[in-house]
Amino acid sequence: MLNEKEYLKVREAFATPSKVAIIMHKSPDGDAVGSSLGMKHYLEKLGHTVSVISPNPYPEFLKWMPGTRSVIDFEKTPTPANQAIAKADLILFLDLNSLKRIGDLEKAVKKSDALRIVIDHHPLPEKFADIAFHDAAASSTAELAYDFISMLGDSKRIHKDIANCLYAGIMTDTGSFRFASTTPHTHDVVADLMRHGAEANKVHRFIDDNNRDIRLRLLGYAVFEKMKIFPEFATGIITLTQSELKRFDYKEGDTEGLVNEPISVKGIVFSALFTEQKDGEIKISFRSKDKFDVNQFARKHFNGGGHMNAAGGRSDWSMDETILQFLQLLSQYKTELQGK
Ligand code: 5GP
Ligand code: MN
């Protein structure tokens, strides 16, 4: 995936101890945090000094990962984040295909003349780095991080902390190895991570069995009271307003996975979760099955993007207006949704 010149440049950059800033995308998920912390442990093993920066807070259920306490939250503490970027010889971007995905951190990045490397699997990447290790067919950025380490001949250096972080990234982005993006290679990578100390059962329990009971009540409420199925469009949606989220003591990450519920209904190929944010913006998660391209849908209509079968976007309109617009769009896409 890298040409000879790029490969040599990476080797050279990694050969001498340097200051590295790792930046993940806004509202980071398991893949963003797992690949970032996995690469941090790997680069530290090579002797580099590494700062990991997240544009904003990430969910509690990812905070068991080794190294999690060292992550700088730019929203909470912008100064150390800006300093780490200003000092960096190398900036490594993980799990993002556009600088837009890092929000206001972009300003500090633009001022820096550090070498920029990106490892990512989102389609339609923009060119913002000197070196891009990119494959839109890869299951996850964490899988690509493993490939990157192994390209450098270092897979034998993978230790338990690296392995657990990368395992968590692959597991979360593949829906526990069930999405269409999961390949034989994904399983080969996971097998090798387990040989190098990944504790699969423990990671699944940390991620899946870590609920506050009120979170399960929120999920139950959302499915029972708020899920609407539109069989004629093979579509299901869930909406959650701020007052509903408050009622269930909503914390970052509590609605993770909820968008997969409507799409688990027989015959449904498209699902959307609309959540009202504190500032009134409506955040939308899209999922699809087979050929319905939610990346294009989110880009075209909701100022977002992502992958063919998993994407996100936003709307500045009210919840009711947003749903009205969405329902009108469903009529437009009716034939595609019916798979005709
Ligand atoms: P989620 O629904 O889990 O928030 O996001 C699903 C996928 O869509 C993720 O791969 C994420 O990176 C991508 N995504 C979510 N929101 C946005 C957005 O606003 N812009 C872009 N380009 N991608 C997004
Ligand atoms: Mn990812």
Side-chain angles (χ1 to χ4, degrees):
M1 263 175 297
L2 296 188
N3 63 36
E4 184 72 14
K5 207 171 136 200
E6 291 168 329
Y7 172 76
L8 292 172
K9 204 157 182 183
V10 173
R11 289 223 72 125
E12 189 193 316
F14 281 20
T16 42
S18 55
K19 295 192 186 67
V20 184
I22 294 182
I23 304 181
M24 56 184 101
H25 64 73
K26 208 167 171 181
S27 304
D29 54 8
D31 189 31
V33 180
S35 58
S36 295
L37 288 173
M39 285 305 287
K40 168 192 157 77
H41 296 305
Y42 166 64
L43 288 166
E44 284 178 346
K45 180 130 181 98
L46 299 185
H48 304 288
T49 307
V50 186
S51 307
V52 179
I53 304 162
S54 172
N56 62 350
Y58 62 84
E60 284 300 314
F61 76 90
L62 297 172
K63 291 194 175 158
W64 56 271
M65 279 192 217
T68 190
R69 277 164 200 242
S70 67
V71 176
I72 306 169
D73 177 350
F74 170 71
E75 204 172 87
K76 256 194 221 146
T77 54
T79 312
N82 287 327
Q83 282 170 345
I85 293 170
K87 276 194 235 153
D89 309 300
L90 168 67
I91 303 179
L92 183 57
F93 300 93
L94 286 164
D95 203 35
L96 53 107
N97 60 354
S98 158
L99 277 190
K100 279 192 221 113
R101 299 281 288 133
I102 64 173
D104 284 342
L105 267 175
E106 189 176 351
K107 289 185 193 128
V109 167
K110 287 219 156 123
K111 277 190 227 153
S112 153
D113 55 11
L115 179 73
R116 302 173 184 193
I117 301 178
V118 57
I119 303 179
D120 180 48
H121 70 135
H122 290 90
L124 310 174
E126 289 173 16
K127 190 173 163 26
F128 59 91
D130 302 294
I131 294 168
F133 192 78
H134 184 272
D135 182 4
S139 74
S140 51
T141 296
E143 180 180 318
L144 287 176
Y146 172 92
D147 291 338
F148 191 84
I149 294 170
S150 107
M151 170 192 77
L152 294 168
D154 277 344
S155 45
K156 59 190 174 302
R157 294 177 110 134
I158 291 177
H159 56 60
K160 190 165 100 179
D161 287 351
I162 303 176
N164 275 333
C165 291
L166 296 185
Y167 184 95
I170 299 172
M171 175 219 153
T172 51
D173 248 30
T174 57
S176 296
F177 316 106
R178 62 180 288 254
F179 297 154
S181 56
T182 310
T183 61
H185 180 64
T186 310
H187 285 285
D188 284 342
V189 169
V190 164
D192 203 42
L193 290 175
M194 287 180 78
R195 273 181 216 109
H196 285 89
E199 300 156 297
N201 179 251
K202 224 165 140 178
V203 174
H204 283 266
R205 286 190 358 213
F206 274 136
I207 289 182
D208 293 332
D209 304 343
N210 216 349
N211 286 312
R212 293 174 306 136
D213 66 345
I214 192 137
R215 184 203 170 209
L216 280 189
R217 292 178 207 285
L218 168 65
L219 300 181
Y221 168 79
V223 171
F224 187 56
E225 301 272 353
K226 302 303 306 283
M227 185 169 77
K228 291 201 173 69
I229 300 293
F230 303 97
E232 68 276 32
F233 301 120
T235 297
I237 67 169
I238 294 177
T239 58
L240 287 169
T241 61
Q242 264 300 306
S243 70
E244 289 169 321
L245 294 171
K246 277 196 195 118
R247 178 176 157 202
F248 291 96
D249 188 28
Y250 173 81
K251 298 268 186 307
E252 189 77 34
D254 277 355
T255 54
E256 192 77 31
L258 182 57
V259 64
N260 295 313
E261 298 299 338
I263 211 166
S264 75
V265 174
K266 191 172 177 184
I268 298 303
V269 299
F270 181 30
S271 73
L273 168 68
F274 301 81
T275 38
E276 187 185 13
Q277 307 295 293
K278 284 199 188 104
D279 61 3
E281 184 186 79
I282 310 294
K283 186 184 170 297
I284 319 168
S285 282
F286 298 109
R287 296 293 184 273
S288 68
K289 278 187 190 144
D290 303 326
K291 295 263 176 292
F292 190 70
D293 188 342
V294 287
N295 172 33
Q296 292 299 345
F297 187 87
R299 271 171 198 270
K300 207 162 161 196
H301 305 293
F302 292 100
N303 195 24
H307 308 270
M308 168 129 162
N309 295 132
R314 71 207 72 256
S315 160
D316 291 328
W317 294 349
S318 71
M319 183 67 90
D320 289 349
E321 288 165 334
T322 306
I323 299 305
L324 207 64
Q325 184 204 6
F326 181 79
L327 294 180
Q328 280 164 358
L329 286 169
L330 286 187
S331 311
Q332 272 181 41
Y333 284 86
K334 191 169 181 178
T335 34
E336 273 180 61
L337 287 164
Q338 290 174 335
K340 286 176 188 151

